[in-house]
Amino acid sequence: MPSANTGSRKIKGIKLYKDHVTLSFFKGEPLKISKEAFVSSYLYAGKNLFSKEIASLEEITAMSTLLNYALQIVSKKHLSEKEMLEKLMKKEDNYAAAKKVITKLKENDLLDDKAFMQDLIAWDNERNFGQNKIVKHLKDKGIPDALINKVNFPQSIERKKAKALLDKLDRKYAKYAYESKKKHVYQALVAQGYNHDIAREVTNDLKRKNDKVEQSLLTRDYEKIKSRYEKKYEGYQLKQKIYAALVNKGYKYQEIKKVLEDFTYEDDSGF
């Protein structure tokens, strides 16, 4: 195709289709343009089109294609400007046209990063996400840091959301020893996006099981660990292995010592 500043091509014929217009020339390949491009210029058989005019028709066509595509997208879901630009560039590798489409969408309130961000934060709050997870979600969606940095995350709200998860996490780790449960709940809250201070504060609200239940869990874990290790160890070495495993599960020394005292080991010289 000729450069933007040289040459011309003479239109041989114009054929209108349902969704586009095709221009044929006396020399060279035909040109497929959008109807928006067609009505933007006075085109007729016999007219000479210079390269600059052809480039303009192609740009309008690219924008028309991308705009129709963008409208289909926004009718189904909300996107950030960054996400929309990425989709448009995959559809048509024309940055200038893509940016013009985005500008047009913004002018018609069909693309708004601030509104999109507020909706996303509201949705994540309903799911009891903590600040760190929400911020990561916003960044992943392409929300600019300048907007994210203006968001306020009141600690009272963060604490309330974290506490709303406590009962569920308490049930999830119900079979763990108290100290081990606290560790797992704390890690779960951090993974959910809460800062360490709030995760620690909320975790400390966990209620300890009564001694009977805690003793039952200890005995259960002891039996499982003993059954696993006694195939390889015996005597004092077996006792050490069991003790270490129970400590790792969150049981305290005095609790472990009591349950171990009920069993006899060869070469048992104590701790």
Side-chain angles (χ1 to χ4, degrees):
M1 185 176 291
S3 69
N5 298 315
T6 62
S8 66
R9 301 173 66 189
K10 192 171 185 178
I11 298 176
K12 181 179 181 180
I14 301 174
K15 193 167 184 179
L16 278 66
Y17 294 88
K18 182 178 180 180
D19 58 352
H20 69 278
V21 176
T22 298
L23 306 180
S24 59
F25 301 93
F26 286 98
K27 291 183 180 180
E29 296 294 322
L31 177 64
K32 181 179 176 180
I33 62 175
S34 66
K35 289 188 174 182
E36 289 83 358
F38 178 67
V39 300
S40 71
S41 180
Y42 180 45
L43 302 174
Y44 54 89
K47 180 177 181 178
N48 285 316
L49 286 181
F50 288 93
S51 298
K52 186 175 182 180
E53 295 174 293
I54 292 175
S56 177
L57 292 173
E58 290 176 327
E59 184 177 347
I60 295 172
T61 296
M63 184 174 174
S64 299
T65 300
L66 291 180
L67 182 58
N68 289 332
Y69 178 61
L71 291 174
Q72 291 176 14
I73 294 174
V74 298
S75 68
K76 297 176 182 178
K77 61 180 178 180
H78 291 189
L79 296 178
S80 67
E81 289 183 32
K82 181 181 178 181
E83 289 177 315
M84 180 61 78
L85 180 59
E86 290 173 350
K87 284 187 174 293
L88 295 179
M89 289 298 292
K90 287 181 180 179
K91 179 72 173 176
E92 190 85 32
D93 189 14
N94 188 322
Y95 182 79
K99 290 295 289 184
K100 286 181 179 179
V101 167
I102 287 177
T103 298
K104 197 170 189 65
L105 292 173
K106 291 172 66 176
E107 289 174 348
N108 289 275
D109 295 326
L110 295 174
L111 198 63
D112 186 334
D113 273 355
K114 185 176 181 180
F116 176 68
M117 178 182 72
Q118 291 171 343
D119 287 345
L120 197 61
I121 291 174
W123 170 238
D124 283 350
N125 277 330
E126 287 183 8
R127 295 190 287 175
N128 290 321
F129 285 3
Q131 175 181 346
N132 298 330
K133 193 167 184 176
I134 293 176
V135 169
K136 182 179 183 304
H137 196 184
L138 294 174
K139 288 179 179 290
D140 289 345
K141 286 293 184 178
I143 301 299
D145 288 342
L147 279 179
I148 297 175
N149 293 337
K150 294 179 180 179
V151 179
N152 181 34
F153 293 92
Q155 294 304 287
S156 59
I157 301 298
E158 288 290 289
R159 193 175 295 106
K160 182 178 180 180
K161 290 188 298 179
K163 286 184 177 181
L165 294 170
L166 198 57
D167 286 344
K168 180 180 178 180
L169 292 173
D170 192 4
R171 293 192 299 272
K172 181 177 181 179
Y173 300 111
K175 294 183 179 181
Y176 286 74
Y178 178 68
E179 293 300 326
S180 181
K181 179 195 284 188
K182 286 181 65 176
K183 178 181 177 181
H184 282 82
V185 169
Y186 170 81
Q187 292 172 340
L189 289 173
V190 171
Q192 192 72 353
Y194 295 99
N195 64 47
H196 295 281
D197 289 339
I198 286 181
R200 190 176 298 109
E201 178 185 339
V202 172
T203 299
N204 286 334
D205 288 342
L206 277 173
K207 294 182 179 179
R208 185 182 180 89
K209 301 181 183 72
N210 61 56
D211 292 341
K212 185 176 181 180
V213 174
E214 195 75 12
Q215 181 65 33
S216 175
L217 290 174
L218 174 56
T219 302
R220 179 207 62 187
D221 286 338
Y222 166 81
E223 294 291 351
K224 288 182 179 179
I225 294 168
K226 179 174 179 293
S227 177
R228 182 168 70 248
Y229 283 131
E230 66 184 359
K231 297 175 183 178
K232 296 177 60 178
Y233 307 99
E234 60 183 18
Y236 180 63
Q237 190 176 21
L238 172 59
K239 190 171 184 178
Q240 283 184 312
K241 292 291 183 181
I242 294 173
Y243 173 78
L246 290 173
V247 168
N248 191 51
K249 280 185 170 293
Y251 296 106
K252 294 182 178 180
Y253 170 75
Q254 291 298 331
E255 297 170 333
I256 299 172
K257 182 179 179 183
K258 183 177 180 181
V259 76
L260 290 181
E261 285 174 350
D262 294 335
F263 300 88
T264 303
Y265 296 87
E266 296 178 6
D267 189 26
D268 186 354
S269 55
F271 289 95

